[in-house]
Amino acid sequence: MPMNIDADLPYSDIDETLGERLWPNEPALAGEIARAIEGFLRTKYQPGHARRDAHPKAHGIVKAEFRVSADIPDELAKGVFAARKSYEAWIRFSNGLLDDDRDGDGRGMAIKLLNVPGQKLVESEPNATTQDFILFSSPVFFIDKPQNYLALVTETGSANFWSKVSEAFTLGVKGSLIAAKLNSNIISNPLQTTYWSAVPYQLGIGSERQAVKYKVTPTSDVIDPLPADRGPDYLRAALGATLANGGATMTFRLQPRTLDTQSVEDSMNEWKEQDAPFYEVATIHIPSQTFDTPEQNQFAEDIAFSPWHALPEHRPLGVTNRLRKIIYEHVSRVRHEMNAVEYTEP
Ligand code: HEM
């Protein structure tokens, strides 16, 4: 029995000043995509065993400290960056779609800051004390129109999603090239990879607000060679080996929009670094730890990330993020309901 979507999930307003524009029929399309994904989950998984529709395979969820830099410029010191302090965080590293790490795939990094005061945008838990930043291994997303996303999910079903994604007639040539690049990504260690938000976010509120994108890079240039005898879970093993031996640091950067041609709506529009530099605003310290326990792996399954688990100072922008407001909330509710998990933000 599909869950009701519309009752308690209002569609997002748009900010025309920052360049947002609504697509025709967009809220209805968001609901249709969410319902289509719900259908796949209910068909594919037995109750008690539902996984995420995207990024189902975690390499691990790890404890981290998100240390906001002391010397960031005032115009970037907004939201969680205003206090110039440290936050405890959970970080879930994942594949895009596949269960075998040896295959080319997008790679995800979902960060959840804890003990962040202030009312949040998500209506279901406005008093949650979390702030999420969701990134993956491409500077751009491969879909710009809501009807193309719906066409992909309804024509193919999740099982064939990625093979369909590389077909030019559904995504257009540009989208297909982005998808092909993303899906051929092979890495040796989730801590030695660069991640982007791909889509933009507001920074600040009121007349000083601006649009930014995010990027996380490893602090060290060292990239381990691919293990010769790697198995389907070698990325979990690599994460475990690094975190057994002294931990890792990564750098979180903001990229303020500098040109009108840098679109807030078009998820395929890359904001070139030569036009819009990134500024370092935080260091992510991931200490030495043991994360690969049954309890923590279950936590990696149950936890839910959303761009809308956010302060108004970090409001998600653009059509992809507006769709995600409905889709992530609905799909994670379905997942938790199927698994009889009563989820609340940590
Ligand atoms: C309309 C576009 C998109 C749709 C429909 C979509 C759909 C989804 C869904 C259904 C989930 C699982 C949610 C859950 O069960 O809790 C998910 C997770 C995720 N998505 Fe997206 N997504 C979209 C765009 C993006 C973009 C642009 C990024 C780039 C950063 C992204 C990165 C991720 C990551 C990293 C996760 C895993 C989060 C975790 O670890 O739990 N997605 N997505």
Side-chain angles (χ1 to χ4, degrees):
M1 179 76 169
M3 287 169 74
N4 185 17
I5 294 179
D6 305 319
D8 61 341
L9 274 183
Y11 205 68
S12 157
D13 293 333
I14 55 161
D15 186 334
E16 290 188 8
T17 309
L18 287 186
E20 288 198 281
R21 303 280 179 276
L22 210 57
W23 287 83
N25 224 14
E26 195 185 299
L29 287 166
E32 281 186 60
I33 297 167
R35 276 188 206 95
I37 296 175
E38 172 176 2
F40 299 139
L41 292 192
R42 292 195 187 278
T43 311
K44 188 169 174 187
Y45 297 112
Q46 292 300 314
H49 302 281
R51 300 170 75 199
R52 286 163 174 76
D53 181 62
H55 297 265
K57 187 186 189 205
H59 308 309
I61 188 161
V62 300
K63 284 185 190 141
E65 198 189 337
F66 189 92
R67 297 176 181 159
V68 178
S69 312
D71 54 355
I72 56 180
D74 284 348
E75 60 273 20
L76 301 182
K78 312 285 182 195
V80 295
F81 308 107
R84 297 173 169 104
K85 64 174 195 180
S86 291
Y87 297 90
E88 285 176 38
W90 287 109
I91 303 180
R92 181 178 182 271
F93 291 99
S94 59
N95 282 343
L97 199 75
L98 304 175
D99 273 331
D100 191 327
D101 300 348
R102 293 169 294 194
D103 296 329
D105 199 355
R107 316 290 168 178
M109 176 182 190
I111 306 169
K112 191 178 286 293
L113 305 190
L114 307 177
N115 304 315
V116 177
Q119 180 148 353
K120 305 304 181 305
L121 296 168
V122 66
E123 286 87 6
S124 54
E125 283 192 77
N127 299 319
T129 53
T130 48
Q131 162 71 49
D132 293 358
F133 296 115
I134 304 181
L135 304 102
F136 75 171
S137 54
S138 165
V140 276
F141 193 52
F142 48 83
I143 300 177
D144 57 351
K145 298 181 183 67
Q147 54 271 42
N148 284 2
Y149 205 98
L150 181 61
L152 274 172
V153 291
T154 49
E155 281 166 22
T156 64
S158 296
N160 297 318
F161 187 84
W162 293 114
S163 56
K164 185 78 179 182
V165 144
S166 49
E167 289 179 15
F169 63 85
T170 315
L171 290 186
V173 172
K174 192 173 176 188
S176 303
L177 289 174
I178 295 168
K181 191 168 174 197
L182 178 67
N183 301 333
S184 58
N185 189 16
I186 293 185
I187 61 171
S188 52
N189 188 323
L191 296 166
Q192 298 171 351
T193 301
T194 296
Y195 302 89
W196 292 262
S197 65
V199 287
Y201 293 81
Q202 186 173 316
L203 181 70
I205 46 174
S207 59
E208 291 184 346
R209 71 195 188 284
Q210 58 178 321
V212 299
K213 292 190 184 183
Y214 310 137
K215 177 163 101 163
V216 172
T217 50
T219 310
S220 158
D221 293 336
V222 174
I223 297 185
D224 297 335
L226 280 174
D229 57 347
R230 57 192 193 277
D233 304 319
Y234 77 95
L235 292 175
R236 174 176 287 267
L239 189 61
T242 305
L243 297 184
N245 291 308
T249 55
M250 302 180 89
T251 306
F252 189 99
R253 292 185 171 81
L254 297 178
Q255 182 188 35
R257 179 173 181 254
T258 55
L259 300 171
D260 289 344
T261 49
Q262 288 156 354
S263 175
V264 159
E265 279 299 317
D266 180 356
S267 311
M268 294 188 198
N269 178 242
E270 185 173 356
W271 300 359
K272 297 284 182 196
E273 288 202 45
Q274 62 264 32
D275 301 323
F278 280 94
Y279 298 90
E280 178 177 336
V281 288
T283 302
I284 301 168
H285 177 62
I286 307 175
S288 200
Q289 63 190 279
T290 304
F291 64 86
D292 197 358
T293 64
E295 298 75 29
Q296 204 152 314
N297 292 335
Q298 188 58 49
F299 179 55
E301 287 302 309
D302 293 342
I303 195 170
F305 292 86
S306 165
W308 294 85
H309 290 154
L311 289 167
E313 286 88 343
H314 305 300
R315 184 175 166 274
L317 294 173
V319 59
T320 297
N321 270 330
R322 292 193 298 273
L323 297 174
R324 291 165 95 192
K325 178 170 191 283
I326 305 298
I327 296 165
Y328 281 45
E329 176 93 17
H330 183 70
V331 172
S332 73
R333 280 183 197 180
V334 170
R335 178 161 66 84
H336 293 135
E337 184 249 327
M338 287 181 72
N339 293 339
V341 169
E342 286 216 12
Y343 180 74
T344 50
E345 281 288 281

